[in-house]
Amino acid sequence: MCAIVGIYGNDNAARLASLALFAMQHRGQEATGISSSCDGKIHTIKNRGLVSDVFKESALKILKGNMAIGHNRYSTAGGDSILDAQPVFAKYKLGEISIVHNGNLINKDEVRKDLIDKGAIFQTGMDTENLIHLIAKNTKDRLRDRIKEALDRTVGAYCFIVQSRSKQFVIRDKYGIRPLSLGKLKSGGYIVASETCAFDLVDATFIRDVKPGEMLIFSEDYEEPESIQLFEPEFRPCAFEYVYFARPDSEIDGKNVYKSRENMGRALAKNDTESKVKYDMVIPVPDSGVPAALGYAAQSGIPFEYGIIRNHYVGRTFIEPTQEMRNLKVRMKLSPMRSLISGKSLLVIDDSIVRGTTSKRIVKMLKDAGAKEVHFRVASPEIKFPCYYGIDTPNKKELISNNMSKDEVKDYIEADSLEYLSVDDLVNAIGNDRNYALESFDGDYFVKE
């Protein structure tokens, strides 16, 4: 679940890329990087840390040129080495190349082993590097043809931006699992980004979403990007983007994230089996639980209150790589409004329960602050299956709902009651006009090796 961006045809490409990455910082906080192309050379700066720390003025002065690609890292493949930060750069027969990737390649180990057996030397643990080697070993004369044949051996969820010294190639997998949108910069040129929230900051106008299975090519040969349909679309966008990952002000494949989350909260209120319990207030787990809590409050008529205050200088806990760091960040990030919640019966809305440890800490925090009752509502279905398409739930042992019943989860987090959104209600909340990737909820692994 990384963020990627491509800027083409603007003399401030790297600066605009850094602003877009700043807007998408929520999609990855481990490392960030930008490659720009200028005078036939690709320049790359990447490092661990946040966009605002890495891309200061001195760095941006080095990244000259009218085209740039960028990446915020959230690891699901590879390690925490700086070598595993993106963009991934290499020199090969056709010149220089740099790649950024959002997604997860499920056949990465098989392809990597085959490449190593044939003499390839890998510098990173990332699945992204597979594409570099597949492109470099190909004998086609045009980069677009090398990319196409490399993708024929690539299975999984992916959005790639490949930058040469003079062109950019943008590719989305045939399922459209991860989001990717195209926009027009008012200052000139184009932008491609994981989320439309990046367009607002750089003053760009949304054009359309990149189609599943499509390749866009930006070059001096055409005023507008050239479009090639590489694969027949089998559209299955990831439902978890709407539940948690995307910023609420983004439009993902024509669906407003904020409205979808508000609808999730309304559905929870309509189906609440504990309706006989009198709740004094509805409070969200900030920030991703806020729209659903507002929807629940509007539907039920129960007052909405900010009973938990978030420290916004602390990043997202779910995407931390270790449980120890997630626990620490929960304590640093969330604080109860004691005077507001003391002696009250609380209806608490969160976007999801993955491992259960964060929910348990939240319930304890509220009860320690004097809450009489804490009733927990989850604006997504039970997460019972690991995701292999880019979400950091690598095995069933980490998923509490795979190992416990709903009542057992309730007892574990020490809530007075617990209810989840159903899969049907989730789909209806987003919009039931398409098939979604729901593998975390229903175990349907539709991408096959």
Side-chain angles (χ1 to χ4, degrees):
M1 284 306 310
C2 303
I4 62 172
V5 62
I7 305 288
Y8 185 87
N10 192 293
D11 289 336
N12 291 312
R15 187 178 300 277
L16 291 169
S18 71
L19 290 172
L21 291 175
F22 181 83
M24 298 186 292
Q25 188 73 83
H26 59 286
R27 296 186 70 88
Q29 301 164 15
E30 293 176 43
T32 187
I34 293 175
S35 288
S36 68
S37 291
C38 183
D39 298 329
K41 298 287 291 182
I42 294 179
H43 304 275
T44 301
I45 292 177
K46 57 184 178 179
N47 209 339
R48 294 189 190 91
L50 304 178
V51 175
S52 57
D53 296 326
V54 175
F55 291 110
K56 300 184 184 296
E57 190 64 30
S58 57
L60 292 172
K61 286 182 178 179
I62 297 171
L63 298 169
K64 298 178 180 179
N66 72 343
M67 54 187 295
I69 60 174
H71 185 271
N72 286 337
R73 175 165 171 76
Y74 156 54
S75 62
T76 56
D80 62 357
S81 166
I82 186 57
L83 292 174
D84 288 316
Q86 297 187 34
V88 181
F89 168 81
K91 294 182 179 180
Y92 73 122
K93 183 178 179 180
L94 298 184
E96 297 182 346
I97 192 173
S98 195
I99 298 179
V100 292
H101 170 216
N102 173 30
N104 199 44
L105 308 182
I106 64 174
N107 69 333
K108 55 185 176 290
D109 295 334
E110 172 195 334
V111 172
R112 175 175 287 233
K113 181 181 182 303
D114 181 60
L115 288 166
I116 291 173
D117 288 343
K118 293 177 180 177
I121 299 173
F122 281 78
Q123 301 295 320
T124 79
M126 289 183 292
D127 53 359
T128 310
E129 195 178 358
N130 286 6
L131 197 70
I132 287 271
H133 286 283
L134 291 171
I135 290 171
K137 285 181 172 292
N138 194 285
T139 58
K140 298 290 186 181
D141 293 330
R142 298 193 305 174
L143 178 52
R144 68 173 66 191
D145 297 324
R146 291 185 178 217
I147 293 172
K148 171 62 170 68
E149 292 194 2
L151 292 172
D152 287 339
R153 293 194 61 192
T154 301
V155 181
Y158 58 80
C159 291
F160 286 111
I161 307 179
V162 180
Q163 180 164 284
S164 68
R165 292 170 295 177
S166 60
K167 296 180 180 181
Q168 275 185 11
F169 303 81
V170 175
I171 311 103
R172 191 179 185 190
D173 71 72
K174 67 179 182 179
Y175 302 103
I177 298 172
R178 303 267 72 87
L180 197 62
S181 298
L182 170 67
K184 178 73 170 165
L185 292 156
K186 292 183 180 178
S187 56
Y190 290 91
I191 178 174
V192 174
S194 296
E195 289 190 38
T196 60
C197 64
F199 294 176
D200 299 328
L201 187 56
V202 300
D203 202 15
T205 302
F206 172 82
I207 297 176
R208 64 177 176 88
D209 296 299
V210 179
K211 300 172 187 175
E214 182 182 25
M215 174 192 282
L216 294 176
I217 303 175
F218 296 87
S219 71
E220 294 180 353
D221 300 333
Y222 299 92
E223 285 190 16
E224 297 183 351
E226 183 183 358
S227 173
I228 301 172
Q229 193 67 39
L230 297 179
F231 306 105
E232 188 69 25
E234 299 178 36
F235 194 30
R236 295 289 296 270
C238 177
F240 214 70
E241 291 281 352
Y242 301 93
V243 170
Y244 175 81
F245 276 110
R247 248 176 58 166
D249 53 332
S250 286
E251 300 277 336
I252 303 294
D253 291 306
K255 308 291 186 182
N256 180 264
V257 175
Y258 180 92
K259 187 63 179 176
S260 296
R261 291 177 184 169
E262 184 183 51
N263 290 341
M264 294 171 201
R266 287 183 177 274
L268 274 174
K270 290 177 182 177
N271 299 323
D272 199 333
T273 60
E274 295 289 329
S275 57
K276 293 181 180 180
V277 177
K278 184 181 185 304
Y279 311 123
D280 294 303
M281 63 187 71
V282 177
I283 69 172
V285 176
D287 284 323
S288 52
V290 172
L294 286 167
Y296 191 106
Q299 183 67 38
S300 66
I302 301 169
F304 171 95
E305 298 284 358
Y306 279 103
I308 302 173
I309 302 302
R310 177 183 170 182
N311 181 343
H312 284 86
Y313 294 95
V314 180
R316 304 182 86 171
T317 54
F318 177 82
I319 62 177
E320 285 299 325
T322 66
Q323 186 60 52
E324 182 181 8
M325 183 58 74
R326 284 190 289 269
N327 291 342
L328 175 62
K329 280 203 167 180
V330 171
R331 295 195 298 272
M332 294 171 63
K333 185 172 73 171
L334 303 177
S335 299
M337 290 279 288
R338 294 177 180 271
S339 60
L340 178 68
I341 67 176
S342 181
K344 299 297 196 306
S345 177
L346 308 179
L347 191 289
V348 180
I349 305 281
D350 204 357
D351 59 87
S352 58
I353 296 180
V354 180
R355 299 168 181 90
T357 51
T358 298
S359 303
K360 184 179 181 71
R361 288 185 177 277
I362 289 168
V363 173
K364 184 178 187 303
M365 175 186 71
L366 293 170
K367 290 191 173 182
D368 287 348
K372 182 174 68 175
E373 294 179 337
V374 177
H375 299 270
F376 217 84
R377 298 293 178 268
V378 184
S380 65
E382 295 169 273
I383 298 175
K384 294 185 176 183
F385 303 92
C387 175
Y388 303 115
Y389 308 147
I391 299 174
D392 189 19
T393 53
N395 59 68
K396 290 185 177 182
K397 292 180 181 178
E398 295 189 35
L399 303 175
I400 191 170
S401 291
N402 180 72
N403 300 295
M404 297 183 186
S405 67
K406 185 178 74 172
D407 287 340
E408 288 172 332
V409 174
K410 175 185 76 70
D411 292 340
Y412 172 79
I413 68 174
E414 300 180 4
D416 291 281
S417 69
L418 172 65
E419 296 292 342
Y420 295 87
L421 197 66
S422 71
V423 172
D424 287 343
D425 282 338
L426 173 63
V427 170
N428 289 331
I430 304 170
N432 61 6
D433 57 342
R434 62 191 57 161
N435 291 323
Y436 294 95
L438 298 162
E439 69 285 342
S440 295
F441 311 121
D442 62 13
D444 177 14
Y445 297 107
F446 55 92
V447 180
K448 309 295 183 183
E449 288 193 45

